[in-house]
């Protein structure tokens, strides 16, 4: 997804009659939430491959652990954090729900209130990630009303304030973070600076997804679509479709073109 050494998030749709139609590159929001959580879980903890830093403060998994312990000892259950959220396994690391509950408003606000000065940057980042995920995970017309979260309401207008949040506040924070690490005074090796920021894949995923989601949503709204549910910008339908292929193909894990066509016909016939 690079063009002349620069990141790009779209490419012209050569099969469309409208020259303004593009194909957009969008990473699954749940996948991005998991990768961000994994970056944070490795920051001064676990594999210790990261030691995130921004605005003269560390962004560490230890701050999440402290909030978990504080919440457990107080027995007030102000967050949904459990041992499964803290002590990740090869299985639990794939669980989107666990990642979303770590990067949630309840954890961020509790850390902001009780995490002290050292936990403020971690709290700020978590609160931004919570809003980011809500904006890209709009599932229904009513969910935003039921949960009293405006970010979960459908996108209906071209000047929706969430567009500005995603591009200026959220992505602006991430870009400023990267610049701060690159320009941090000190004789740091490249590998040491890399530990202070998100992985390149995570950063590029966030950057392309924000730009693509904004443009794709605005294009739909400006061309007669009444509202947009951003949760539909995901690969779930593809995964489900090829999951049915695997189920029908059984042990044929390397099907020929003919077998693939046969299975595709069976699936199509079943949907009629």
């Amino acid at each position: 997804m690079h063009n002349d050494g620069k990141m790009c998030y779209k490419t012209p749709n050569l099969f469309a009659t409208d020259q303004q139609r593009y194909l957009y590159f969008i990473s699954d929001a749940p996948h991005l939430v998991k990768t961000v959580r994994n970056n944070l879980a490795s920051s001064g903890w676990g594999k210790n491959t990261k030691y995130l830093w921004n605005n003269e403060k560390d962004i560490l998994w230890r701050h999440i652990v402290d909030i978990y312990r504080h919440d457990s000892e107080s027995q007030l259950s102000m967050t949904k954090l459990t041992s499964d959220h803290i002590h990740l396994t090869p299985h639990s690391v794939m669980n989107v729900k666990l990642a979303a509950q770590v990067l949630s408003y309840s954890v961020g606000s509790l850390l902001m209130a009780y995490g002290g000065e050292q936990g403020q940057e971690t709290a700020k980042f978590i609160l931004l990630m919570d809003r980011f995920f809500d904006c890209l995970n709009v599932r229904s017309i009513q969910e935003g009303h039921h949960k009293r979260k405006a970010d979960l309401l459908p996108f209906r207008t071209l000047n929706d304030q969430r567009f500005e949040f995603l591009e200026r506040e959220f992505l602006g924070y991430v870009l400023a973070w990267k610049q701060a690490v690159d320009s941090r005074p000190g004789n740091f090796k490249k590998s040491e600076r890399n530990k202070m920021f998100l992985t390149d894949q995570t950063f590029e995923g966030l950057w392309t997804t924000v730009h693509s989601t904004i443009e794709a949503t605005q294009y739909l709204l400006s061309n007669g679509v009444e509202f947009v549910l951003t949760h539909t910008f995901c690969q779930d339908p593809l995964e489900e479709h090829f999951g049915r292929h695997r189920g029908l193909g059984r042990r044929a894990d390397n099907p020929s073109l003919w077998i693939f066509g046969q299975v595709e016909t069976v699936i199509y016939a079943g949907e009629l």
Side-chain angles (χ1 to χ4, degrees):
M1 293 189 295
H2 292 76
N3 182 20
D4 297 329
K6 298 180 180 179
M7 288 189 294
C8 67
Y9 58 91
K10 64 182 179 181
T11 187
N13 187 344
L14 301 179
F15 299 96
T17 56
D18 181 359
Q19 295 183 353
Q20 298 303 314
R21 290 288 295 273
Y22 290 91
L23 297 176
Y24 292 96
F25 307 127
I26 300 178
S27 297
D28 271 358
H31 174 72
L32 290 173
V33 168
K34 286 189 296 183
T35 59
V36 169
R37 188 279 316 274
N38 294 344
N39 275 253
L40 184 55
S42 299
S43 182
W45 194 271
K47 296 179 180 179
N48 201 29
T49 56
K50 291 287 181 182
Y51 206 90
L52 303 177
W53 174 92
N54 189 26
N55 290 328
E56 305 298 330
K57 297 183 180 66
D58 297 322
I59 301 176
L60 303 175
W61 187 251
R62 175 170 53 79
H63 300 151
I64 309 296
V65 176
D66 290 343
I67 286 299
Y68 162 66
R69 290 172 178 168
H70 172 83
D71 199 26
S72 299
E73 293 171 0
S74 67
Q75 297 183 341
L76 294 177
S77 299
M78 290 183 284
T79 72
K80 295 182 179 180
L81 295 181
T82 66
S83 177
D84 290 337
H85 294 83
I86 302 301
H87 306 291
L88 299 173
T89 66
H91 176 71
S92 65
V93 79
M94 300 302 295
N95 191 311
V96 177
K97 186 177 181 180
L98 293 180
Q101 288 174 341
V102 168
L103 303 175
S104 65
Y105 176 81
S106 59
V107 172
S109 58
L110 193 62
L111 183 56
M112 187 70 75
Y114 298 102
E117 184 64 24
Q118 62 180 359
Q120 295 304 294
E121 197 63 31
T122 305
K124 181 179 180 180
F125 180 50
I126 289 175
L127 292 174
L128 285 171
M129 281 301 305
D130 174 71
R131 286 202 64 189
F132 164 81
F133 188 45
D134 282 350
C135 290
L136 271 67
N137 196 41
V138 179
R139 294 172 175 267
S140 71
I141 298 176
Q142 298 298 331
E143 185 178 13
H145 295 294
H146 293 161
K147 293 186 176 181
R148 296 182 180 180
K149 298 189 75 173
D151 289 333
L152 290 174
L153 293 173
F155 286 80
R156 295 180 181 274
T157 64
L158 293 174
N159 60 351
D160 192 302
Q161 63 178 0
R162 285 170 291 183
F163 294 138
E164 183 172 357
F165 162 75
L166 286 170
E167 186 170 12
R168 295 182 181 274
E169 188 172 347
F170 175 76
L171 201 55
Y173 175 88
V174 176
L175 291 170
W177 179 3
K178 187 176 189 305
Q179 185 177 6
V181 169
D182 291 341
S183 60
R184 183 180 182 181
N187 188 23
F188 295 104
K189 299 178 182 178
K190 188 176 187 300
S191 59
E192 293 174 325
R193 292 189 187 275
N194 287 342
K195 293 183 68 173
M196 302 176 196
F197 187 60
L198 304 170
T199 60
D200 291 341
Q201 296 88 343
T202 301
F203 168 63
E204 291 178 11
L206 293 172
W207 190 89
T208 56
T209 298
V210 166
H211 284 292
S212 292
T213 299
I214 292 174
E215 281 201 19
T217 302
Q218 290 178 334
Y219 176 85
L220 292 170
L221 292 174
S222 62
N223 283 273
V225 175
E226 182 180 353
F227 60 85
V228 174
L229 305 178
T230 51
H231 175 70
T232 57
F233 297 150
C234 69
Q235 64 186 28
D236 288 351
L238 281 175
E239 290 183 354
E240 180 182 356
H241 182 77
F242 285 101
R244 296 172 70 181
H245 263 276
R246 288 190 292 272
L248 291 171
R250 299 185 180 181
R251 295 185 179 182
D253 57 357
N254 188 25
S256 64
L257 182 60
W258 185 85
I259 293 176
F260 181 88
Q262 288 287 92
V263 175
E264 187 73 14
T265 301
V266 171
I267 294 174
Y268 178 73
E271 293 177 345
L272 295 178

